[in-house]
Short mmCIF file of all heavy atoms in Angstrom, two decimals:
data_model
loop_
_atom_site.label_atom_id
_atom_site.label_comp_id
_atom_site.label_asym_id
_atom_site.label_seq_id
_atom_site.Cartn_x
_atom_site.Cartn_y
_atom_site.Cartn_z
N ARG A 688 -24.68 21.95 -3.37
CA ARG A 688 -24.90 21.42 -4.72
C ARG A 688 -25.39 19.98 -4.77
O ARG A 688 -25.82 19.46 -5.78
CB ARG A 688 -23.65 21.51 -5.58
CG ARG A 688 -23.18 22.91 -5.96
CD ARG A 688 -22.00 22.86 -6.93
NE ARG A 688 -21.70 24.21 -7.36
CZ ARG A 688 -22.28 24.79 -8.41
NH1 ARG A 688 -23.17 24.16 -9.11
NH2 ARG A 688 -21.91 26.03 -8.76
N ILE A 689 -25.32 19.28 -3.67
CA ILE A 689 -25.43 17.81 -3.63
C ILE A 689 -26.67 17.39 -2.85
O ILE A 689 -26.86 17.73 -1.76
CB ILE A 689 -24.17 17.12 -3.08
CG1 ILE A 689 -22.96 17.51 -3.95
CG2 ILE A 689 -24.33 15.61 -3.02
CD1 ILE A 689 -21.61 17.21 -3.35
N LYS A 690 -27.48 16.59 -3.53
CA LYS A 690 -28.78 16.11 -2.95
C LYS A 690 -28.57 14.78 -2.17
O LYS A 690 -29.02 14.61 -1.03
CB LYS A 690 -29.75 15.89 -4.06
CG LYS A 690 -31.16 15.48 -3.65
CD LYS A 690 -32.06 15.53 -4.86
CE LYS A 690 -33.46 15.22 -4.56
NZ LYS A 690 -34.31 15.33 -5.70
N THR A 691 -27.84 13.85 -2.78
CA THR A 691 -27.54 12.59 -2.13
C THR A 691 -26.12 12.17 -2.51
O THR A 691 -25.60 12.65 -3.48
CB THR A 691 -28.49 11.44 -2.55
OG1 THR A 691 -28.25 11.04 -3.92
CG2 THR A 691 -29.96 11.81 -2.37
N LEU A 692 -25.61 11.25 -1.71
CA LEU A 692 -24.24 10.76 -1.91
C LEU A 692 -24.29 9.22 -1.98
O LEU A 692 -24.97 8.60 -1.18
CB LEU A 692 -23.33 11.21 -0.78
CG LEU A 692 -21.87 10.80 -0.74
CD1 LEU A 692 -21.08 11.37 -1.88
CD2 LEU A 692 -21.21 11.18 0.56
N ILE A 693 -23.60 8.72 -2.98
CA ILE A 693 -23.44 7.21 -3.08
C ILE A 693 -21.99 6.85 -3.14
O ILE A 693 -21.23 7.37 -4.01
CB ILE A 693 -24.18 6.66 -4.36
CG1 ILE A 693 -25.66 7.16 -4.42
CG2 ILE A 693 -24.07 5.18 -4.47
CD1 ILE A 693 -25.97 8.33 -5.31
N LEU A 694 -21.55 5.93 -2.25
CA LEU A 694 -20.13 5.53 -2.19
C LEU A 694 -20.08 4.03 -2.40
O LEU A 694 -20.89 3.26 -1.85
CB LEU A 694 -19.55 5.91 -0.83
CG LEU A 694 -19.58 7.36 -0.45
CD1 LEU A 694 -19.06 7.45 1.02
CD2 LEU A 694 -18.78 8.20 -1.38
N THR A 695 -19.08 3.62 -3.18
CA THR A 695 -18.86 2.18 -3.33
C THR A 695 -17.30 1.96 -3.40
O THR A 695 -16.61 2.55 -4.16
CB THR A 695 -19.54 1.67 -4.66
OG1 THR A 695 -19.28 0.24 -4.82
CG2 THR A 695 -19.10 2.42 -5.89
N GLY A 696 -16.86 1.14 -2.44
CA GLY A 696 -15.40 0.91 -2.34
C GLY A 696 -14.59 2.18 -2.17
O GLY A 696 -13.50 2.33 -2.68
N SER A 697 -15.13 3.15 -1.39
CA SER A 697 -14.48 4.50 -1.29
C SER A 697 -13.27 4.43 -0.36
O SER A 697 -13.26 3.78 0.66
CB SER A 697 -15.52 5.51 -0.82
OG SER A 697 -14.88 6.76 -0.63
N SER A 698 -12.27 5.23 -0.74
CA SER A 698 -11.17 5.54 0.20
C SER A 698 -11.66 6.75 1.04
O SER A 698 -12.77 7.26 0.85
CB SER A 698 -9.83 5.84 -0.55
OG SER A 698 -10.04 6.90 -1.49
N GLY A 699 -10.82 7.20 1.90
CA GLY A 699 -11.20 8.29 2.82
C GLY A 699 -11.07 7.89 4.31
O GLY A 699 -11.01 8.79 5.17
N LEU A 700 -11.10 6.60 4.54
CA LEU A 700 -10.91 6.13 5.93
C LEU A 700 -9.71 5.13 5.98
O LEU A 700 -8.80 5.31 6.76
CB LEU A 700 -12.14 5.39 6.44
CG LEU A 700 -13.37 6.22 6.85
CD1 LEU A 700 -14.50 5.38 7.28
CD2 LEU A 700 -12.94 7.22 7.98
N PHE A 701 -9.77 4.17 5.10
CA PHE A 701 -8.66 3.15 5.03
C PHE A 701 -8.75 2.50 3.66
O PHE A 701 -9.81 2.23 3.15
CB PHE A 701 -8.90 2.07 6.12
CG PHE A 701 -7.95 0.85 5.91
CD1 PHE A 701 -6.77 0.85 6.51
CD2 PHE A 701 -8.49 -0.24 5.23
CE1 PHE A 701 -5.88 -0.27 6.34
CE2 PHE A 701 -7.60 -1.36 5.03
CZ PHE A 701 -6.36 -1.32 5.55
N GLU A 702 -7.54 2.28 3.11
CA GLU A 702 -7.48 1.44 1.92
C GLU A 702 -6.21 0.58 1.93
O GLU A 702 -5.16 1.04 2.33
CB GLU A 702 -7.58 2.25 0.64
CG GLU A 702 -6.50 3.34 0.47
CD GLU A 702 -6.78 4.65 1.19
OE1 GLU A 702 -7.90 4.76 1.73
OE2 GLU A 702 -5.91 5.44 1.24
N ASN A 703 -6.39 -0.61 1.54
CA ASN A 703 -5.28 -1.56 1.41
C ASN A 703 -4.70 -1.42 0.01
O ASN A 703 -5.25 -2.02 -0.92
CB ASN A 703 -5.78 -3.00 1.68
CG ASN A 703 -4.63 -3.99 1.54
OD1 ASN A 703 -3.45 -3.61 1.59
ND2 ASN A 703 -5.00 -5.28 1.44
N GLY A 704 -3.68 -0.60 -0.10
CA GLY A 704 -3.15 -0.29 -1.44
C GLY A 704 -2.53 -1.51 -2.13
O GLY A 704 -2.62 -2.61 -1.66
N MET A 705 -1.90 -1.25 -3.17
CA MET A 705 -1.29 -2.33 -3.99
C MET A 705 0.03 -2.80 -3.45
O MET A 705 0.75 -3.56 -4.06
CB MET A 705 -1.15 -1.85 -5.46
CG MET A 705 -2.46 -1.51 -6.07
SD MET A 705 -3.58 -2.95 -6.22
CE MET A 705 -4.77 -2.34 -7.36
N GLY A 706 0.42 -2.21 -2.30
CA GLY A 706 1.70 -2.64 -1.71
C GLY A 706 2.77 -1.62 -1.92
O GLY A 706 2.71 -0.76 -2.79
N ASP A 707 3.81 -1.65 -1.10
CA ASP A 707 4.90 -0.64 -1.13
C ASP A 707 5.60 -0.58 -2.49
O ASP A 707 6.21 0.42 -2.81
CB ASP A 707 5.87 -0.90 0.01
CG ASP A 707 5.25 -0.69 1.36
OD1 ASP A 707 4.26 -0.02 1.48
OD2 ASP A 707 5.78 -1.24 2.34
N THR A 708 5.63 -1.71 -3.18
CA THR A 708 6.44 -1.76 -4.40
C THR A 708 5.60 -1.38 -5.65
O THR A 708 6.09 -1.34 -6.72
CB THR A 708 6.99 -3.19 -4.62
OG1 THR A 708 5.88 -4.07 -4.65
CG2 THR A 708 7.92 -3.56 -3.48
N TYR A 709 4.31 -1.12 -5.43
CA TYR A 709 3.38 -0.87 -6.57
C TYR A 709 3.47 0.61 -6.91
O TYR A 709 3.50 1.42 -6.00
CB TYR A 709 2.00 -1.28 -6.22
CG TYR A 709 1.03 -1.33 -7.36
CD1 TYR A 709 1.06 -2.41 -8.24
CD2 TYR A 709 0.23 -0.27 -7.60
CE1 TYR A 709 0.23 -2.44 -9.32
CE2 TYR A 709 -0.64 -0.27 -8.71
CZ TYR A 709 -0.64 -1.36 -9.58
OH TYR A 709 -1.45 -1.37 -10.61
N PRO A 710 3.41 0.97 -8.17
CA PRO A 710 3.36 0.11 -9.34
C PRO A 710 4.76 -0.36 -9.74
O PRO A 710 5.68 0.39 -9.69
CB PRO A 710 2.80 1.04 -10.42
CG PRO A 710 2.35 2.32 -9.74
CD PRO A 710 3.17 2.37 -8.48
N LYS A 711 4.86 -1.59 -10.11
CA LYS A 711 6.10 -2.24 -10.50
C LYS A 711 6.13 -2.21 -12.02
O LYS A 711 5.30 -2.85 -12.69
CB LYS A 711 6.15 -3.64 -9.96
CG LYS A 711 7.50 -4.31 -10.05
CD LYS A 711 7.46 -5.62 -9.28
CE LYS A 711 8.78 -6.33 -9.26
NZ LYS A 711 8.72 -7.56 -8.50
N ARG A 712 7.14 -1.56 -12.60
CA ARG A 712 7.17 -1.38 -14.05
C ARG A 712 7.76 -2.64 -14.76
O ARG A 712 8.65 -3.28 -14.28
CB ARG A 712 8.01 -0.14 -14.38
CG ARG A 712 7.47 1.11 -13.80
CD ARG A 712 8.38 2.31 -13.99
NE ARG A 712 8.60 2.62 -15.39
CZ ARG A 712 9.53 3.43 -15.84
NH1 ARG A 712 10.50 3.93 -15.02
NH2 ARG A 712 9.65 3.69 -17.14
N GLY A 713 7.14 -2.93 -15.88
CA GLY A 713 7.66 -3.92 -16.78
C GLY A 713 7.42 -5.31 -16.44
O GLY A 713 7.79 -6.28 -17.18
N ASP A 714 6.66 -5.64 -15.40
CA ASP A 714 6.29 -7.00 -15.01
C ASP A 714 4.81 -7.20 -15.22
O ASP A 714 3.97 -6.95 -14.37
CB ASP A 714 6.70 -7.21 -13.50
CG ASP A 714 6.56 -8.64 -13.09
OD1 ASP A 714 5.80 -9.38 -13.75
OD2 ASP A 714 7.23 -9.06 -12.12
N ARG A 715 4.45 -7.78 -16.33
CA ARG A 715 3.07 -7.94 -16.72
C ARG A 715 2.32 -8.92 -15.77
O ARG A 715 1.16 -8.65 -15.39
CB ARG A 715 2.92 -8.44 -18.14
CG ARG A 715 1.46 -8.53 -18.65
CD ARG A 715 1.38 -8.96 -20.10
NE ARG A 715 1.97 -7.93 -20.98
CZ ARG A 715 1.19 -6.91 -21.48
NH1 ARG A 715 -0.04 -6.81 -21.17
NH2 ARG A 715 1.71 -6.08 -22.28
N ASP A 716 2.98 -9.97 -15.32
CA ASP A 716 2.32 -10.92 -14.44
C ASP A 716 2.03 -10.25 -13.08
O ASP A 716 0.96 -10.47 -12.50
CB ASP A 716 3.24 -12.11 -14.15
CG ASP A 716 3.29 -13.10 -15.36
OD1 ASP A 716 2.32 -13.02 -16.17
OD2 ASP A 716 4.24 -13.88 -15.47
N TYR A 717 2.87 -9.45 -12.61
CA TYR A 717 2.67 -8.66 -11.38
C TYR A 717 1.47 -7.75 -11.54
O TYR A 717 0.59 -7.70 -10.65
CB TYR A 717 3.92 -7.87 -11.03
CG TYR A 717 3.79 -7.04 -9.76
CD1 TYR A 717 4.12 -7.59 -8.49
CD2 TYR A 717 3.37 -5.73 -9.77
CE1 TYR A 717 3.99 -6.91 -7.34
CE2 TYR A 717 3.23 -5.00 -8.60
CZ TYR A 717 3.59 -5.60 -7.37
OH TYR A 717 3.49 -4.90 -6.24
N ILE A 718 1.39 -7.04 -12.63
CA ILE A 718 0.29 -6.14 -12.91
C ILE A 718 -1.02 -6.90 -13.06
O ILE A 718 -2.06 -6.49 -12.55
CB ILE A 718 0.55 -5.33 -14.24
CG1 ILE A 718 1.78 -4.43 -14.05
CG2 ILE A 718 -0.67 -4.48 -14.58
CD1 ILE A 718 1.76 -3.44 -12.87
N ARG A 719 -0.93 -8.05 -13.69
CA ARG A 719 -2.14 -8.91 -13.79
C ARG A 719 -2.69 -9.30 -12.44
O ARG A 719 -3.86 -9.16 -12.15
CB ARG A 719 -1.91 -10.16 -14.62
CG ARG A 719 -3.10 -11.05 -14.76
CD ARG A 719 -2.78 -12.32 -15.53
NE ARG A 719 -2.24 -12.08 -16.85
CZ ARG A 719 -3.01 -11.68 -17.92
NH1 ARG A 719 -4.31 -11.55 -17.73
NH2 ARG A 719 -2.44 -11.41 -19.03
#
């Protein structure tokens, strides 16, 4: 079905997530 593929900032190999504690509820500064 696919003619070409475009990837930007894609996961699938490695991603540096938001950290083990993320998402942290109720802390707006942390979320910011």
Side-chain angles (χ1 to χ4, degrees):
R688 289 187 176 272
I689 299 167
K690 184 173 184 177
T691 70
L692 179 65
I693 303 102
L694 303 175
T695 180
S697 178
S698 58
L700 286 177
F701 169 87
E702 58 278 354
N703 178 17
M705 297 298 194
D707 294 338
T708 60
Y709 191 79
K711 191 171 182 181
R712 296 170 67 194
D714 187 338
R715 184 178 291 274
D716 286 339
Y717 181 87
I718 298 302
R719 180 182 301 283

